[in-house]
Amino acid sequence: MELVALVGDSHTTVQQTTSTSMLPFSLFNFSSGIFVISSTPEFRFLIGQRLIEINGYPIASVMERYREIIPHENEYWVSYQFPKYLKNLNLMYGLGLNQDNRENRFMFQNSQGGVQEIRISSGTEVEDTVFFSKVGEEVPLFLRNQSENYWYEYLSKNHTLYFKYNRCLEMKGKSIANITDMIMDDLKKREVRKVVFDLRFNEGGRSDLLEPLIEELRFNQSSQFKVYVIINNGTFSAGVSTAISLKNKLNGILVGEPTGGKPDSFGNVASFVLPNTKLMISYPTRKLHFIGNENMTSLYPDIPLALDIEDLLHGTDNAMQYILSTY
């Protein structure tokens, strides 16, 4: 994994094998630290707590060790991927963070400052996209319908059309052509002052998939509505190129955090399997140019707003709050 990471390309990766040695909870790297966002029923009490130490090592030191095996082109992708790599407990042993390959010690801190140690030797993997399953507050828009590649909703109170783009992949029974027709029909029938494209956690797919909708909006756009594009460290590959297209063609205002993907990067991924280990290696086959600037390692927001743990614990979304409050 270290050799592959040395290539310095985020699309060149080693597929991690599934194992019984998986964390029974998932983590996410927020601006204020790494927190538990979902878990198996046994560890629900950890949701919302901050991870501060593993096996006696401060979490910052652990992250430095992991960055050596995480393929990346900027530090934002390391920040986003690090909690995902932590899920595989076998990597702890391989990186020298657990000498005897037995149980791992995780130290957590709660909102009152109290700390507790949890010991884990094995577990069942949980989805890292299912946030805060124990919190009773209203779930923010961008955390709804996570199994759908894309969906939209008209927010009548705010005269805003919200489009969540989770993956750049066509859905069976709900094509982009169908969605485009529905959105254009809504634009004719309703008062729409803002159109929001939310690309947070969109790790890519087909870079041209959303172009029919973008072109329709460009053809029909007037001073009637503004376009906003929400991005974060989890916006990658085709997610980044879509954000660039929305900015260039619809004067989209970028809100959120820098992307984990590099604007001008390699793409069109292929793969092969190593004959002895059976590990799958993915690699890009084409250089893609979207902005023509090799020195720009991330797409940066016009309006910087970091995703915060406290907002989500209370069912709010600071990026959407900002957009809905502007005129």
Side-chain angles (χ1 to χ4, degrees):
M1 295 180 78
E2 287 178 313
L3 285 174
V4 171
L6 284 173
V7 174
D9 169 65
S10 303
H11 287 87
T12 303
T13 61
V14 180
Q15 185 181 48
Q16 295 188 50
T17 56
T18 57
S19 167
T20 55
S21 298
M22 304 296 287
L23 278 183
F25 50 81
S26 285
L27 302 149
F28 188 81
N29 204 344
F30 293 91
S31 57
S32 51
I34 297 175
F35 291 80
V36 178
I37 57 174
S38 63
S39 74
T40 57
E42 181 184 0
F43 293 95
R44 286 170 67 90
F45 66 93
L46 287 175
I47 294 177
Q49 293 197 33
R50 184 165 69 97
L51 177 62
I52 58 175
E53 190 178 284
I54 300 177
N55 295 331
Y57 297 96
I59 196 62
S61 299
V62 177
M63 184 170 170
E64 274 303 302
R65 187 68 184 94
Y66 270 78
R67 75 184 303 279
E68 296 176 13
I69 65 169
I70 299 175
H72 63 280
E73 291 161 282
N74 61 50
E75 289 304 311
Y76 307 112
W77 191 238
V78 175
S79 176
Y80 176 71
Q81 287 289 329
F82 173 51
K84 294 174 177 284
Y85 276 67
L86 282 177
K87 292 194 300 183
N88 189 338
L89 295 174
N90 289 328
L91 294 178
M92 297 276 186
Y93 175 70
L95 291 170
L97 297 170
N98 183 345
Q99 298 296 335
D100 56 10
N101 198 24
R102 294 182 179 177
E103 63 182 10
N104 291 277
R105 294 173 287 113
F106 292 80
M107 189 72 74
F108 292 94
Q109 184 178 55
N110 61 32
S111 57
Q112 286 76 44
V115 298
Q116 63 177 321
E117 183 181 86
I118 304 296
R119 294 173 178 255
I120 297 172
S121 57
S122 64
T124 303
E125 184 178 12
V126 294
E127 277 290 336
D128 55 7
T129 52
V130 182
F131 284 65
F132 308 114
S133 56
K134 81 167 188 178
V135 178
E137 303 287 349
E138 183 179 354
V139 178
L141 280 171
F142 78 97
L143 296 181
R144 302 177 192 175
N145 306 321
Q146 294 174 39
S147 62
E148 297 189 34
N149 294 346
Y150 42 79
W151 60 274
Y152 85 96
E153 181 177 331
Y154 176 68
L155 310 177
S156 56
K157 180 181 178 181
N158 306 102
H159 306 289
T160 298
L161 192 149
Y162 175 85
F163 183 92
K164 184 65 177 77
Y165 200 25
N166 290 317
R167 288 167 287 277
C168 305
L169 299 170
E170 192 96 50
M171 292 176 64
K172 292 182 179 179
K174 188 193 285 187
S175 68
I176 285 295
N178 294 147
I179 288 289
T180 297
D181 290 340
M182 293 168 63
I183 288 176
M184 298 313 297
D185 189 54
D186 271 342
L187 286 175
K188 293 175 183 176
K189 294 179 179 179
R190 305 177 187 272
E191 181 184 356
V192 178
R193 299 174 186 172
K194 300 168 187 174
V195 177
V196 179
F197 287 90
D198 195 336
L199 275 61
R200 284 174 288 188
F201 310 109
N202 186 323
E203 297 183 17
R206 274 184 51 195
S207 59
D208 63 344
L209 185 63
L210 207 63
E211 286 302 310
L213 173 57
I214 295 173
E215 290 300 326
E216 282 288 339
L217 289 172
R218 180 163 69 163
F219 182 77
N220 290 276
Q221 189 178 26
S222 65
S223 57
Q224 174 187 359
F225 61 84
K226 287 185 177 180
V227 174
Y228 293 88
V229 184
I230 311 179
I231 55 177
N232 75 343
N233 298 170
T235 308
F236 181 75
S237 192
V240 177
S241 61
T242 300
I244 293 170
S245 184
L246 289 164
K247 181 176 178 63
N248 291 342
K249 296 180 179 180
L250 299 179
N251 296 315
I253 300 169
L254 302 178
V255 179
E257 302 170 277
T259 61
K262 183 180 178 181
D264 288 346
S265 64
F266 291 92
N268 289 28
V269 176
S271 62
F272 64 90
V273 177
L274 294 173
N276 294 324
T277 63
K278 305 304 179 184
L279 290 172
M280 180 178 289
I281 308 295
S282 297
Y283 63 96
T285 61
R286 181 185 172 193
K287 179 66 175 179
L288 304 173
H289 301 274
F290 294 104
I291 61 171
N293 184 351
E294 282 294 325
N295 295 320
M296 189 172 180
T297 60
S298 178
L299 182 64
Y300 293 89
D302 302 306
I303 308 296
L305 284 173
L307 193 61
D308 187 77
I309 179 68
E310 288 303 319
D311 288 328
L312 289 181
L313 284 173
H314 294 90
T316 59
D317 177 0
N318 57 2
M320 279 299 291
Q321 285 181 330
Y322 168 81
I323 292 170
L324 297 179
S325 67
T326 59
Y327 295 94

